[in-house]
Amino acid sequence: MIPFDYERATDAAGAVATVARNPNARFLAGGTNLVDHLKLGVSEPELLVDVSRLPFGEVQEQDGVVRAGASVRNSELAAHPLIRQRFPVLAQALLAGASGQLRNLATTGGNLLQRTRCPYFQDVTTPCNKREPGSGCSAISGHNRDMAILGSSEQCVATHPSDMAVAMTALDAVVRIQGVDGERTVPVAEFHRLPGDSPERDTVLQHGELITAVDIPGAAPISAYRKVRDRASYAFALVSVAAVADVAGGVVQDVRLALGGVAHKPWRARRAEAALRGSRATEQAFREAAEAELADAGPLAGNAFKVPMAKNTIVAALRDLTGEQL
């Protein structure tokens, strides 16, 4: 039994101040990830500050922007009429993640803050630079079937597990953050970090900063999420693609793509987007764009299959959206 103190927050400012002044304090919301880490010994906080009852549990629209509060449960967000009508890709991504029971508990803010499911990160008996900086990365020469093929470093090859975050990245969503010095915003595409020399830092959040909401601009009625995994449910992505497209007269006017299961963060496929804009919506164009995006892939011994899988998944997702038939 690892002892810790528990406090229930009554306001956001107080919660932020409490965690900010204690380097060993953590926020607790749904707890679907943090509680696992407490059990495994991966995380050993002195204090948990429960923010689940703060007033961040609504989905609202204002001036064309849909705001999802940080405490909105994944199941509620997926079922919300605004999300289903305007952002199908997000509803599909949410429903592709975890299980029904977990989606009923997991929150919007907590989903963004999921840590990797790398088996070495979760096993405290093995070296892991993310868990213990400087100890080494066991996955590079170990079991690395599920690891990254893009943006990794010699320090870490883990992947980010969220489905929701991949869709949010393709939607140009923005994270609202409260800290001791006030509020700031960060695009979801810039919220998560590549490992570099500091793999222990998953995001750009500073200690004590609290996610309060995520803003999703505009609408993406022509959008979809495609996920490749080992079984039909309750499995993390080997590769996933969130796609948003605007096609008129058979020409791609605009497109936004994000990949999951391939990097330390949701991977915005900007090379593929640039290749597709202004091109004919054909399978050949889709394949050329996918090739461009994966040109710098660096697979490990056990996950080279992810490179063609990612290319094929990009093509399939775009073909689904545009109606291009083989």
Side-chain angles (χ1 to χ4, degrees):
M1 181 69 179
I2 302 173
F4 58 84
D5 293 327
Y6 169 89
E7 292 184 13
R8 181 176 295 175
T10 57
D11 64 89
V16 166
T18 298
V19 172
R21 64 173 173 259
N22 185 338
N24 291 316
R26 296 283 303 276
F27 294 116
L28 174 69
T32 57
N33 195 205
L34 177 58
V35 171
D36 282 346
H37 291 165
L38 292 173
K39 294 176 180 178
L40 294 168
V42 173
S43 182
E44 297 182 351
E46 295 177 357
L47 171 65
L48 293 181
V49 178
D50 188 342
V51 295
S52 63
R53 291 170 176 79
L54 296 182
F56 303 135
E58 296 185 4
V59 178
Q60 301 174 319
E61 180 184 16
Q62 185 174 2
D63 299 326
V65 175
V66 174
R67 178 169 296 174
S71 298
V72 175
R73 307 295 174 172
N74 285 179
S75 55
E76 295 171 0
L77 189 61
H80 197 282
L82 278 174
I83 302 301
R84 295 177 64 187
Q85 293 165 11
R86 292 176 54 173
F87 311 111
V89 64
L90 179 55
Q92 292 168 17
L94 285 160
L95 293 174
S99 65
Q101 295 93 329
L102 288 171
R103 292 193 295 269
N104 286 338
L105 190 61
T107 63
T108 300
N111 190 298
L112 290 175
L113 295 175
Q114 287 183 83
R115 307 207 71 189
T116 181
R117 263 48 177 205
C118 173
Y120 301 105
F121 172 72
Q122 295 184 313
D123 182 354
V124 296
T125 68
T126 62
C128 172
N129 286 323
K130 180 176 286 294
R131 180 170 26 80
E132 186 180 349
S135 62
C137 176
S138 298
I140 290 177
S141 59
H143 179 73
N144 48 43
R145 177 177 181 268
D146 299 325
M147 299 299 116
I149 58 173
L150 293 168
S152 60
S153 74
E154 294 181 356
Q155 303 298 316
C156 182
V157 294
T159 55
H160 191 265
S162 173
D163 293 288
M164 184 197 81
V166 179
M168 291 285 198
T169 298
L171 291 170
D172 287 332
V174 175
V175 186
R176 304 188 70 88
I177 301 164
Q178 184 166 338
V180 292
D181 296 323
E183 187 178 64
R184 68 183 179 117
T185 58
V186 177
V188 172
E190 300 172 13
F191 180 76
H192 299 94
R193 298 179 65 258
L194 291 178
D197 293 328
S198 304
E200 71 277 10
R201 294 190 58 213
D202 295 333
T203 73
V204 299
L205 282 182
Q206 301 299 316
H207 181 71
E209 288 190 313
L210 175 67
I211 297 174
T212 60
V214 179
D215 289 347
I216 315 169
I222 309 302
S223 63
Y225 186 71
R226 177 176 279 260
K227 180 176 181 178
V228 181
R229 48 188 165 176
D230 286 327
R231 55 181 181 268
S233 66
Y234 199 43
F236 296 105
L238 292 169
V239 172
S240 66
V241 175
V244 179
D246 177 9
V247 179
V251 176
V252 179
Q253 306 297 319
D254 194 18
V255 63
R256 284 172 279 162
L257 299 170
L259 310 183
V262 298
H264 194 259
K265 61 180 287 184
W267 185 268
R268 185 67 182 263
R270 298 196 185 277
R271 285 187 182 179
E273 292 174 357
L276 285 167
R277 291 190 182 101
S279 70
R280 299 291 301 178
T282 65
E283 187 185 358
Q284 180 179 349
F286 301 160
R287 291 204 175 277
E288 290 174 355
E291 289 286 345
E293 191 60 47
L294 275 296
D296 293 336
L300 299 163
N303 68 359
F305 71 93
K306 278 194 174 188
V307 178
M309 179 180 284
K311 295 175 184 178
N312 290 336
T313 307
I314 290 172
V315 172
L318 291 168
R319 195 172 62 231
D320 289 346
L321 280 188
T322 62
E324 171 71 11
Q325 301 295 318
L326 290 177

